[in-house]
Amino acid sequence: MAKLEDWRVWKSAVALAGRAYRVTMREPLCRHFCLSDQIRRAAISIPANIAEGYGLGTRKQLVRTLRIAFGSALELKTHLAVLGTLDLADERELAGLQNDCQAVIRMLVKFRKSAGGKL
């Protein structure tokens, strides 16, 4: 099995989590604790669950944790959609995050299918 650091889906999820986290640290979003905390938790959960599946070492466990990562990615997508209705983040930055989130979702679907799992 390739190293975790070589998995494109994991690298993309780590980058997405970092960008999402940074957005929550800026004004005015940083003053909205509930939403910024939910964004942070969902974003960080994506690569963390991919890593957990990698570490558990079985195909069944990998598929299970990829499903959880997929759910977290959809959760993040929803939080970003809500964020877009509140004018709490730069529109271009938010659009970039939404695009990156959708790209990670697509990668998770493909990776899960190649690992033998279904949606």
Side-chain angles (χ1 to χ4, degrees):
M1 184 184 287
K3 291 189 316 184
L4 177 63
E5 293 81 5
D6 294 335
W7 286 5
R8 195 176 120 212
V9 64
W10 180 81
K11 288 191 287 189
S12 296
V14 167
L16 172 63
R19 287 190 297 274
Y21 204 101
R22 279 190 296 279
V23 165
T24 67
M25 295 170 66
R26 290 196 274 282
E27 293 285 343
L29 182 56
C30 67
R31 290 182 278 131
H32 297 268
F33 177 76
C34 278
L35 182 56
S36 62
D37 187 55
Q38 288 295 314
I39 290 169
R40 290 172 180 181
R41 289 172 182 263
I44 291 169
S45 177
I46 302 166
N49 277 289
I50 296 167
E52 181 179 352
Y54 173 87
L56 292 172
T58 69
R59 184 176 301 266
K60 182 178 178 181
Q61 291 295 344
L62 175 60
V63 169
R64 182 183 68 79
T65 59
L66 290 174
R67 284 188 178 124
I68 296 168
F70 179 74
S72 294
L74 291 176
E75 182 181 352
L76 176 60
K77 181 179 178 177
T78 301
H79 295 323
L80 295 175
V82 170
L83 181 58
T85 68
L86 299 174
D87 295 327
L88 295 174
D90 177 76
E91 284 182 34
R92 282 185 290 170
E93 188 172 33
L94 179 58
L97 270 174
Q98 289 170 322
N99 289 337
D100 292 345
C101 186
Q102 190 59 46
V104 167
I105 289 169
R106 282 191 302 273
M107 283 186 253
L108 284 167
V109 169
K110 287 181 182 178
F111 191 56
R112 196 168 58 201
K113 285 181 183 177
S114 71
K118 297 180 183 174
L119 282 175

